[in-house]
Amino acid sequence: MKKMDLNRDWMLARPGVIFENFVGGAAGTPVNLPHDAMIREERRIDSPNGPDAAWYDGGTYVYEKELSVPADWNGKSVLLELEGVASNAMVYVDGQFAGKCPSTYTDFRLEIGKFLNYGGVSRVKVLAKTGMQRTSRWYSGSGIIRPVWLWVGGETHIAPEGIRFTTERCDASEAVVTCAVTVEHHSVGRAACRVITTVCGPDGAVAAAENQPLTLFGREEARVQTRFCLRNPRLWDVDDPALYTVAVQLVEGETVIDEDSVRTGIRTVTVDHENGLRVNGRTVKLRGGAIHHDNGILGAVTRKDAEVRRVQRLKAAGFNAIRSAHNPASKALVEACDEVGMFLMDELFDVWNDSKRDHDYALFFHEWWQRDMASIVQKDSNHPSVILYTIGNEIPETGTAAGAAQNRAMTNYFRTLDPTRPVANCINGMMSIMPHMRTILAEVLGGQVADLPTDINELMSMFDANIDEIMKHPIVTAATEETFAGVDVCGYNYMPSRYRMDGEQFPNRVIVGSETNPDKIGYHWPLILEQNHVIGDFCWTAWDYIGESGIGKNDYEMNHGMMYGPWPWFLAYCGDLDICGNRRPQSYYREIVYGLRAQPYVAVERPEHYNQPKCVSNWTWPDVIESWTWPGFEGKRTHVEVYADGDAVALYLNNRLIEAKPVGEEMPYKAIFDVIYQPGTLTAV
């Protein structure tokens, strides 16, 4: 099928009366897609979304576009594809309902041929309904935030994204791969054609080819599969992201009636308790970070160049893996990971049937999860960067029998759709045992506790000093055992205290630290390296984001509690990289812990806050920056942090030794100095 760009020359309206949308009375503003309408709205201190969405309101947004419809499209297959609409998309063509999709992150296609005005003009209308508040625990955006396409195909054509490439086995000498092509025939008569498949290597040379006949009968879909043996292949890996091109043509006689191609890679992925994660037979530890879907000042808009830039900067900072938190990654992000060389753990849901916010996706999960899962597999199947699927994040039901059954059903469905990738579930033990939390806290603390916060972030910060013991409690073990038994990889959110004990207690369990605090990597990474069954770590978070405003703040006013910044806080302020992609001090600390940086890093506390009390959360990094320029603070004291992979650090000011200290007294890979500020040059050795 021919794929056409449909992203320019739309009209946007936000009318006060929904009826106006159907009688043509709404005025509009010209926009191009992708487009985030929410980021252009005024934030309000009384927004019901509060810090979750950075004080942005939702609403109903109407996108309209006139579509010229050639007369010769009549009788052809015409599909409208929307990669992502935030959210509750309702689609109309010439006023007629064509379909809907409740998820912000699900790619979906609608057959619109039956509604079109052939030889004339048709009007496509998309309603994005984000007015039900609160819907998300972070900034979601509003509108058509990902690209829109039109697919047009003749009576016999390759199905949209109908090419699937799979590596059966591979090594340096040869690779056995399969290429399956889905062909659709929409006429009542019989069709005969040839399917020509060509595989070209990264250098453009033909590596393999096949030409085979295909006969289709009335309104039939056929799947043609070919197995190739490729000699001396270049295997895809993060260190060598080699991409092959698979091109398919349908030929009737001498005429090419349809063609399509995909870029893909040759690689295998396996997991087991003894060898951990192996890519192409090589054991890999994931140096991972979680990211949300927004692109900073672009809002929720997905742009390929922005995603490539983000992946490049994360890789340069020492990451080799990304977790799409907590919804499916965009096609642009997946492609960027393929091209730059980055492993991707693609995630489906933040909620199942139990809501975390009043109007979140739990309202739709039961009816839609299978369609959402099929969509993510279709999106990811040819992309070598995607090495893990995850079916949930901190799902409360995972501690129940019904939740374990849902977990098993989803995992098995994933395995049916795509048997080549392991499936994980990212579980926070505290979320799984909330009904038993008071019992556990009474045992751990040695007495009863007062009222507990209902927000999981606040709860974890409140009991940060005890979280290791809470997570190791036998109730957590029992509550999560069946759910963990149902997946290939067990995602541990904030549960590193269980790594060693669960490796012994469950001798076949494979674990990934799917979400961890930024200041704990110095403790966790050596533990991960020495245990084969723990395949890596994903910090929260790799890149700062909009919403969950202020969870990483240093609060010197001491009157806002532990979590979330007061109005007008905007960003979460907890990323290794800030919202613009600049590295923060914690990023250099992580790089040193990973063993990727030999040079020490010097970070200085803002001297106006020297020894000042403050409130912090689990996601707060000390209030330090890379600067020794503090006019007005001459003679005043401040703290200097030096991150180093060494036994000791010597700190010099203007070539004069201030002090030499052992590394790791306060925290692994760190030494802290108390220094009187003077202008000049600060040097760590």
Side-chain angles (χ1 to χ4, degrees):
M1 299 186 76
K2 183 179 180 181
K3 183 180 180 181
M4 290 175 279
D5 188 324
L6 213 64
N7 291 296
R8 301 191 66 81
D9 302 325
W10 289 72
M11 298 296 289
L12 168 69
R14 189 178 179 183
V17 181
I18 196 65
F19 181 69
E20 293 175 355
N21 299 316
F22 299 95
V23 297
T29 302
V31 297
N32 293 323
L33 307 180
H35 181 268
D36 180 6
M38 182 180 283
I39 201 71
R40 292 162 172 80
E41 298 286 2
E42 292 293 327
R43 298 195 297 150
R44 330 190 266 118
I45 191 172
D46 59 345
S47 169
N49 285 328
D52 282 354
W55 283 274
Y56 281 104
D57 281 347
T60 296
Y61 296 90
V62 185
Y63 293 82
E64 289 187 287
K65 179 178 176 61
E66 288 189 347
L67 178 65
S68 295
V69 185
D72 63 3
W73 283 8
N74 196 1
K76 294 185 177 181
S77 178
V78 183
L79 304 178
L80 179 69
E81 178 186 7
L82 299 101
E83 290 189 20
V85 180
S87 57
N88 298 305
M90 307 284 287
V91 182
Y92 302 83
V93 178
D94 287 343
Q96 302 163 92
F97 176 70
K100 66 178 182 178
C101 180
S103 172
T104 295
Y105 311 94
T106 295
D107 175 86
F108 65 104
R109 295 187 189 88
L110 303 172
E111 172 60 66
I112 64 170
K114 58 188 174 182
F115 305 116
L116 295 176
N117 178 25
Y118 295 102
V121 174
S122 286
R123 182 175 293 273
V124 177
K125 187 192 306 286
V126 180
L127 273 64
K129 298 186 175 185
T130 58
M132 294 190 301
Q133 303 173 106
R134 302 148 70 202
T135 62
S136 176
R137 298 190 297 131
W138 54 87
Y139 178 85
S140 63
S142 295
I144 306 178
I145 61 172
R146 294 177 179 174
V148 177
W149 310 94
L150 197 69
W151 295 76
V152 180
E155 287 186 353
T156 304
H157 57 257
I158 302 166
E161 296 184 342
I163 303 171
R164 179 171 291 194
F165 184 88
T166 305
T167 304
E168 293 187 1
R169 59 180 175 84
C170 64
D171 56 33
S173 62
E174 70 174 25
V176 176
V177 301
T178 58
C179 181
V181 182
T182 300
V183 180
E184 297 175 341
H185 179 53
H186 287 188
S187 173
V188 295
R190 186 173 68 176
C193 62
R194 299 193 72 86
V195 181
I196 302 174
T197 304
T198 306
V199 181
C200 294
D203 60 356
V206 175
E210 177 64 286
N211 183 331
Q212 57 195 129
L214 174 64
T215 302
L216 301 106
F217 295 91
R219 304 192 186 282
E220 183 183 15
E221 178 181 285
R223 181 182 172 97
V224 179
Q225 182 165 302
T226 305
R227 181 174 286 102
F228 298 103
C229 183
L230 308 181
R231 300 297 181 187
N232 304 314
R234 275 184 64 186
L235 306 184
W236 187 95
D237 203 342
V238 291
D239 299 323
D240 182 19
L243 294 174
Y244 283 67
T245 300
V246 180
V248 178
Q249 291 183 322
L250 298 187
V251 179
E252 283 185 354
E254 300 297 321
T255 303
V256 177
I257 61 172
D258 199 13
E259 57 188 342
D260 199 1
S261 65
V262 298
R263 295 181 76 204
T264 186
I266 298 171
R267 68 103 185 90
T268 58
V269 175
T270 61
V271 290
D272 65 80
H273 183 88
E274 297 301 319
N275 299 287
L277 171 69
R278 288 188 290 183
V279 177
N280 302 327
R282 178 178 65 91
T283 297
V284 173
K285 295 290 187 179
L286 299 176
R287 306 188 304 270
I291 61 172
H292 272 316
H293 73 292
D294 72 83
N295 265 307
I297 61 173
L298 302 180
V301 162
T302 289
R303 284 182 55 97
K304 177 67 179 293
D305 48 1
E307 300 296 10
V308 168
R309 176 180 179 270
R310 174 154 56 170
V311 176
Q312 288 173 335
R313 294 202 172 202
L314 290 172
K315 188 172 184 177
F319 292 103
N320 68 1
I322 289 172
R323 176 186 175 207
S324 69
H326 298 291
N327 298 100
S330 67
K331 290 183 177 181
L333 177 59
V334 178
E335 291 171 2
C337 290
D338 284 351
E339 295 166 8
V340 176
M342 182 72 73
F343 297 125
L344 178 61
M345 181 160 65
D346 207 356
E347 194 153 279
L348 258 175
F349 300 115
D350 185 54
V351 293
W352 291 352
N353 290 305
D354 285 0
S355 288
K356 296 177 181 177
R357 294 294 183 261
D358 287 343
H359 303 289
D360 62 22
Y361 201 66
L363 296 173
F364 311 103
F365 170 81
H366 181 73
E367 293 80 12
W368 285 85
W369 70 264
Q370 288 182 309
R371 280 171 282 189
D372 292 339
M373 190 174 288
S375 175
I376 194 176
V377 169
Q378 185 173 50
K379 171 177 66 73
D380 291 346
S381 59
N382 292 317
H383 294 283
S385 59
V386 181
I387 59 168
L388 272 170
Y389 295 123
T390 75
I391 57 177
N393 170 68
E394 298 184 341
I395 304 298
E397 302 103 287
T398 51
T400 69
Q406 179 67 55
N407 174 86
R408 188 165 53 250
M410 295 171 72
T411 302
N412 288 336
Y413 192 51
F414 247 142
R415 290 167 177 161
T416 299
L417 296 172
D418 183 358
T420 69
R421 291 174 173 87
V423 180
N425 195 343
C426 303
I427 292 176
N428 181 324
M430 292 178 72
M431 285 290 287
S432 299
I433 48 85
M434 289 301 286
H436 309 285
M437 184 57 66
R438 289 188 179 278
T439 300
I440 295 174
L441 288 174
E443 293 183 22
V444 171
L445 302 177
Q448 295 298 317
V449 295
D451 291 340
L452 298 176
T454 57
D455 184 277
I456 185 63
N457 294 338
E458 293 185 30
L459 187 66
M460 291 177 63
S461 289
M462 178 179 292
F463 296 103
D464 182 48
N466 313 102
I467 197 166
D468 285 349
E469 291 304 310
I470 294 171
M471 294 299 193
K472 289 169 64 176
H473 198 279
I475 292 179
V476 176
T477 306
T480 59
E481 182 179 6
E482 185 177 358
T483 296
F484 276 141
V487 294
D488 304 304
V489 176
C490 304
Y492 280 26
N493 284 19
Y494 309 102
M495 298 195 294
S497 59
R498 301 192 64 97
Y499 289 170
R500 194 181 303 278
M501 62 179 277
D502 284 355
E504 297 170 356
Q505 188 172 188
F506 302 101
N508 294 306
R509 184 174 289 187
V510 179
I511 296 169
V512 63
S514 44
E515 196 166 311
T516 60
N517 297 117
D519 62 342
K520 299 295 196 301
I521 188 64
Y523 300 97
H524 300 164
W525 192 245
L527 191 64
I528 292 167
L529 292 179
E530 71 181 41
Q531 298 185 83
N532 292 344
H533 67 282
V534 184
I535 65 174
D537 175 277
F538 287 80
C539 75
W540 192 268
T541 182
W543 193 289
D544 204 8
Y545 57 95
I546 304 172
E548 289 192 302
S549 301
I551 68 167
K553 71 184 186 304
N554 288 269
D555 183 1
Y556 296 101
E557 297 183 20
M558 302 289 289
N559 60 359
H560 301 304
M562 286 187 177
M563 291 308 304
Y564 307 115
W567 167 270
W569 266 89
F570 186 59
L571 306 174
Y573 199 66
C574 63
D576 269 30
L577 279 69
D578 70 18
I579 199 69
C580 296
N582 303 305
R583 295 180 65 180
R584 299 173 66 209
Q586 67 196 60
S587 171
Y588 294 95
Y589 176 81
R590 184 180 309 280
E591 187 181 19
I592 289 168
V593 172
Y594 285 154
L596 302 176
R597 177 187 171 100
Q599 182 182 5
Y601 181 88
V602 180
V604 180
E605 181 184 51
R606 302 174 198 272
E608 66 264 34
H609 296 309
Y610 175 75
N611 279 350
Q612 184 177 348
K614 60 184 177 181
C615 276
V616 298
S617 78
N618 282 11
W619 297 273
T620 301
W621 194 262
D623 193 8
V624 294
I625 63 172
E626 187 182 18
S627 175
W628 190 246
T629 303
W630 304 98
F633 288 92
E634 292 79 3
K636 301 292 182 64
R637 290 188 174 275
T638 189
H639 291 122
V640 175
E641 298 187 347
V642 179
Y643 314 142
D645 183 8
D647 297 321
V649 168
L651 190 66
Y652 296 82
L653 179 55
N654 297 328
N655 296 319
R656 180 179 61 84
L657 178 65
I658 297 174
E659 187 180 2
K661 294 189 68 173
V663 172
E665 287 186 327
E666 297 89 352
M667 179 177 168
Y669 301 91
K670 179 191 282 192
I672 302 178
F673 299 84
D674 195 296
V675 183
I676 297 175
Y677 174 68
Q678 296 175 15
T681 302
L682 198 65
T683 306
V685 178

